[in-house]
Amino acid sequence: MPPMKLRRSSSPAQTLTTSSQDARVLVRETIRISANLASGPPSMPVIPPTMPESKNLRLGLVEDEFIDSSLRLICCEEIDGRRWKYIAENDSFGNIKKGSIRSVSLQTPLAPVDELMSFIRSYVVPEGFPDSVSPSYVPYMTFRALKHFFGGAIGVFTTQTLLTSVGVSRNRAAPGAVAMNWILKDGAGRVGKMLFSRQGKKFDYDLKQLRFAGDLLMELGAGVELATAAMPNLFLPLACAANVVKNVSAVTSTSTRTPIYKAFAKGENIGDVTAKGECVGNVADLLGTGLSIMLSKKNPSLFTTFAFLSCGYVMSSYLEVKSVVLHTLNRARFSVAVDSFLETGRVPSLKEGNSKESIFAFPWVQDSSIQLGCRFKDAFQDPGLYVALEPLFERERYIVTYNPLKNKVCALLKDQAKSEDILKAAFHSHVLLHSIQSSVKNQISSGKHYEHDSLNSIAMPANIESLVADTCNMVSSTYGLFKYKAAEQGWVMSESLLNPGRARLCQD
């Protein structure tokens, strides 16, 4: 009897191997389809691998939807951990349509509680917390908050008691009402101080501008306080407004005091410099108080006296901050240094660079010509220009362009960008701006009439592409020389002082 041939059933191991092969085929096909979508429309229609209905796979950029082959992935952007993709539409010839770019969010919106916690953290903890501070920061701030809580509670009773003791009124209701008005006035000032403290790092790199702005606010608050004499029925709102701006001024004065004294100290004598500086300030304050008491006895004109003293205060404040020589290159001093280097080939000295820094360029007023670390949608309206410029910056961790609609030079930072890359992007932005301004001047001198401050005349994409290509060659040969000459003059460069935006181009 011949042996019977039995049909063996597939073993679990063989089944697993077959499934693994199917999975690898599926992954390979998925990667191929994604690559085709990113590089352009495929020459032949791509048919996704078939799967059983129960295991149907849906590909796409947005949730589980298919992306049409006419859409092309441009880039991916990340801001504070949140990601976006920018896609554009191709025409029938495979070219990118102008004005077809749009952004797609890759995450669900934060819950209201998370949004609230993020908002609170921006006020009560420094940037980069907890890595940006020492471990003792949390217990110190905890006990400090408790101390101020109890101090504020005690202040309510002490203020009411003092006003009652000096005989504000004989009836029982008035002392409490007056005390409450006084407490509301002080409370409004504390709220203003807290809100303005969110400026954070601006006190480190734009301290001259903030110091001068704070002194202007101090005079504004004094003027509002004087206005209460003419409008006593509006005492509470005027006093609250005056206290808000004066407390904001106090924040700027306190926050910028130490960096300024540090610029004067040589060696480990910052404490001595600070103590002596405060002593000089207190002596001058006492002398000014004595003078005002003597003047008040002669009943001078309130408006004339205030105007005279305010002019002296503001002028003294301006000369005070102008006299400070800082070694760091913030945005204003960086602009002075780069412009001088591009025009003359030399970097200004510390004294010269500080003297040319504009004190009236307040940090909350955005620069109208250069935006560092901007978002993709603020830099590019035409996705074709981005595709053309991207190869020029393949070896860099940033991309520089010019947006004619916003009339700005924009620098986009990649997610791998370090301090050195941000500094180089800022330098490249100034070089591009200088090239554009030179082109405008050449066109004006050649007989073409354009507005002096308008760059739109050369804002054609092809011309911008060639300008950017020229600046890439220029930056590669001059950036190292600029750094060397800046260090030779004693300048200290730090990307944090340039205050770049948080947007980053990231890998898909």
Side-chain angles (χ1 to χ4, degrees), residues 209-264:
Q209 291 79 1
L210 281 170
R211 183 64 172 264
F212 183 64
D215 290 338
L216 292 179
L217 288 176
M218 179 65 74
E219 287 306 289
L220 176 62
V224 174
E225 284 181 337
L226 290 178
T228 59
M231 294 174 286
N233 57 320
L234 297 178
F235 168 80
L236 183 58
L238 290 177
C240 287
N243 223 26
V244 167
V245 295
K246 291 183 76 172
N247 274 272
V248 167
S249 174
V251 171
T252 62
S253 177
T254 304
S255 302
T256 58
R257 182 184 304 152
T258 300
I260 289 177
Y261 285 145
K262 187 178 179 181
F264 296 135

Side-chain angles (χ1 to χ4, degrees), residues 108-388:
T108 57
L110 292 177
V113 175
D114 295 334
E115 290 281 3
L116 178 62
M117 293 303 298
S118 177
F119 178 77
I120 294 176
R121 283 174 62 88
S122 67
Y123 278 98
V124 299
V125 297
E127 294 183 22
F129 178 85
D131 297 330
S132 61
V133 294
S134 63
S136 60
Y137 175 83
V138 174
Y140 171 80
M141 293 306 297
T142 301
F143 293 120
R144 179 178 175 83
L146 285 173
K147 181 188 74 173
H148 280 271
F149 171 79
F150 291 114
I154 294 172
V156 173
F157 299 99
T158 57
T159 303
Q160 184 174 353
T161 302
L162 288 172
L163 291 173
T164 304
S165 299
V166 298
V168 173
S169 176
R170 292 290 181 181
N171 61 61
R172 298 179 180 178
V178 173
M180 191 58 62
N181 284 347
W182 200 269
I183 292 166
L184 288 174
K185 174 183 73 71
D186 290 344
R190 292 189 180 96
V191 170
K193 182 188 294 186
M194 178 190 69
L195 294 177
F196 195 69
S197 64
R198 196 186 184 190
Q199 297 297 320
K201 286 188 176 181
K202 288 185 175 67
F203 294 118
D204 293 321
Y205 47 75
D206 287 326
L207 59 93
K208 289 186 182 182
Q209 291 79 1
L210 281 170
R211 183 64 172 264
F212 183 64
D215 290 338
L216 292 179
L217 288 176
M218 179 65 74
E219 287 306 289
L220 176 62
V224 174
E225 284 181 337
L226 290 178
T228 59
M231 294 174 286
N233 57 320
L234 297 178
F235 168 80
L236 183 58
L238 290 177
C240 287
N243 223 26
V244 167
V245 295
K246 291 183 76 172
N247 274 272
V248 167
S249 174
V251 171
T252 62
S253 177
T254 304
S255 302
T256 58
R257 182 184 304 152
T258 300
I260 289 177
Y261 285 145
K262 187 178 179 181
F264 296 135
K266 289 185 176 181
E268 300 297 328
N269 61 336
I270 181 64
D272 187 31
V273 172
T274 302
K276 299 304 188 295
E278 292 303 294
C279 180
V280 172
N282 289 329
V283 171
D285 186 79
L286 289 173
L287 293 175
T289 301
L291 176 63
S292 65
I293 292 174
M294 295 174 59
L295 290 176
S296 63
K297 292 181 179 180
K298 298 182 179 181
N299 295 322
S301 170
L302 185 62
F303 176 79
T304 304
T305 305
F306 177 73
F308 174 76
L309 295 177
S310 293
C311 289
Y313 181 88
V314 172
M315 180 59 67
S316 301
S317 173
Y318 178 79
L319 295 176
E320 176 195 22
V321 294
K322 286 291 288 185
S323 65
V324 178
V325 178
L326 300 174
H327 294 241
T328 53
L329 282 174
N330 65 346
R331 281 203 174 191
R333 295 186 289 274
F334 188 85
S335 298
V336 171
V338 176
D339 291 342
S340 175
F341 176 76
L342 295 176
E343 293 173 3
T344 65
R346 57 177 292 271
V347 174
S349 63
L350 294 176
K351 186 175 181 180
E352 181 184 358
N354 278 269
S355 65
K356 292 183 178 179
E357 177 186 7
S358 175
I359 304 300
F360 294 96
F362 301 124
W364 53 80
V365 179
Q366 292 186 352
D367 188 0
S368 60
S369 56
I370 292 177
Q371 188 173 358
L372 183 62
C374 64
R375 294 199 60 180
F376 180 88
K377 64 180 182 180
D378 295 328
F380 292 97
Q381 271 71 44
D382 179 15
L385 179 60
Y386 171 80
V387 174

Side-chain angles (χ1 to χ4, degrees), residues 4-184:
M4 297 181 63
K5 294 182 179 180
L6 299 178
R7 184 177 181 181
R8 298 181 180 178
S9 59
S10 300
S11 65
Q14 291 174 332
T15 303
L16 181 60
T17 302
T18 305
S19 300
S20 300
Q21 292 175 349
D22 292 340
R24 285 196 293 270
V25 171
L26 177 59
V27 170
R28 186 168 59 251
E29 290 297 318
T30 301
I31 295 175
R32 184 170 63 84
I33 293 172
S34 300
N36 290 335
L37 289 175
S39 61
S43 56
M44 295 293 292
V46 179
I47 302 175
T50 59
M51 292 288 291
E53 267 188 27
S54 60
K55 299 180 180 179
N56 185 29
L57 180 67
R58 306 178 72 186
L59 304 175
L61 296 176
V62 189
E63 297 180 350
D64 295 327
E65 299 298 326
F66 282 99
I67 290 297
D68 192 284
S69 59
S70 64
L71 296 180
R72 177 175 178 180
L73 176 65
I74 301 299
C75 71
C76 183
E77 184 180 57
E78 181 175 345
I79 304 178
D80 294 333
R82 308 186 71 182
R83 296 166 64 94
W84 284 265
K85 284 189 177 181
Y86 289 88
I87 57 177
E89 187 177 354
N90 292 325
D91 57 21
S92 57
F93 299 99
N95 299 321
I96 301 177
K97 290 183 179 180
K98 292 184 178 180
S100 64
I101 193 167
R102 57 189 176 92
S103 60
V104 178
S105 178
L106 298 183
Q107 64 278 319
T108 57
L110 292 177
V113 175
D114 295 334
E115 290 281 3
L116 178 62
M117 293 303 298
S118 177
F119 178 77
I120 294 176
R121 283 174 62 88
S122 67
Y123 278 98
V124 299
V125 297
E127 294 183 22
F129 178 85
D131 297 330
S132 61
V133 294
S134 63
S136 60
Y137 175 83
V138 174
Y140 171 80
M141 293 306 297
T142 301
F143 293 120
R144 179 178 175 83
L146 285 173
K147 181 188 74 173
H148 280 271
F149 171 79
F150 291 114
I154 294 172
V156 173
F157 299 99
T158 57
T159 303
Q160 184 174 353
T161 302
L162 288 172
L163 291 173
T164 304
S165 299
V166 298
V168 173
S169 176
R170 292 290 181 181
N171 61 61
R172 298 179 180 178
V178 173
M180 191 58 62
N181 284 347
W182 200 269
I183 292 166
L184 288 174

